[in-house]
Amino acid sequence: MGKLMKDKLIEHLQDAHALETNMIVMLQNNIAACADDGIRHVYEWHLDETRRHEKLLRERLEELDSAPSLRKEGPAIGGAFVKGLVDGVRSDKHGKMARDSYIAEQTEIAAYELLKRVARHAGDEKTMDLAENIRLEEVNMVVHLSEHLDRFVELSLEEQGLEVATLV
Amino acid sequence: MGKLMKDKLIEHLQDAHALETNMIVMLQNNIAACADDGIRHVYEWHLDETRRHEKLLRERLEELDSAPSLRKEGPAIGGAFVKGLVDGVRSDKHGKMARDSYIAEQTEIAAYELLKRVARHAGDEKTMDLAENIRLEEVNMVVHLSEHLDRFVELSLEEQGLEVATLV
């Protein structure tokens, strides 16, 4: 693998690592704030997975004689992004949580789709497999979040004092 | 529909409208910057759809005696969010374009999933149908973007002077 290609691969690995690091913080916040046991369990399960992802990416970076980028470990994902669009909502903790969680997972999926392809061009099968295995766990998390969307919306309405109709 | 519930529904409609307004700008930028005819065609097609979405949401807001929120029409979606994570990349126009487009579509999908459910609680079938119909077109756009991911990555590598291997 040429130096330019290796640099490119490492950039993508560092991006993915930064996303996982931010995700750990986001999941811890959601676990603390969530009012539903079933959803909290989903978050706890995924926190274990996310810690493993962070470790796997850090180890792969070290094997490539690199390291996580400190610079890239910025603010929690999701929150800052959507903030401007939901600032008008006085209190919609669970609505924001659902939206931010979903977007954060999809952001990771996009990162792994790109990482997988860059690794393929670099001929790095180990990183290809790593990216694909992690991507599948992120896709699985999206499925779990989607399954709980009705409950998220009920919580969102309840916390604003709205009556929740029985859904058909 | 009670006033609180109607306010909630309008908030979600305004969020969705703000996303579509931002998406129009993002798509125009991508059409101008994209180096691939096939991908540009996908963006052009979706720009027409997006303009229609913006109009449908604006009309629904007017039917509910409301209007788009000016406050919510902030910076282009996607770009600002991912910026912090890809600042290290000197020039990766098409890589960023792929990622931002994917995340922006998923953000819209999340918004329509929530809007649809809030409309259901509000007993507003017209908004339910509107949200579901637009959501399906956003999902379709994700499929098109995913189909072009290989090409996006090739363009990303090429613009950085990297040799692109023939993919298996």
Side-chain angles (χ1 to χ4, degrees), chain B residues 2 20 23 38 40 47 63 66 76 94 99 103 105-106 111 119 126 132 138 147 153 160 167:
Chain B
E20 296 290 355
M23 181 65 89
R40 193 180 319 106
L47 179 56
E63 285 168 5
S66 185
H94 289 89
R99 192 173 351 203
I103 296 168
E105 289 303 324
Q106 296 291 358
K126 188 162 182 185
E132 179 60 9
E138 311 299 0
E147 283 169 353
V153 170
Q160 285 163 89
L167 298 180

Side-chain angles (χ1 to χ4, degrees), chain A residues 98-138:
Chain A
R99 190 169 358 202
D100 290 359
S101 301
Y102 186 87
I103 296 167
E105 289 303 324
Q106 296 290 0
T107 302
E108 292 192 320
I109 289 169
Y112 289 112
E113 290 281 11
L114 295 178
L115 173 60
K116 188 173 69 174
R117 285 169 172 80
V118 171
R120 185 157 46 151
H121 282 287
D124 178 351
E125 282 190 30
K126 188 162 181 184
T127 301
M128 276 174 66
D129 290 348
L130 179 64
E132 179 60 8
N133 290 336
I134 297 180
R135 189 188 70 82
L136 290 174
E137 292 191 343
E138 310 299 1

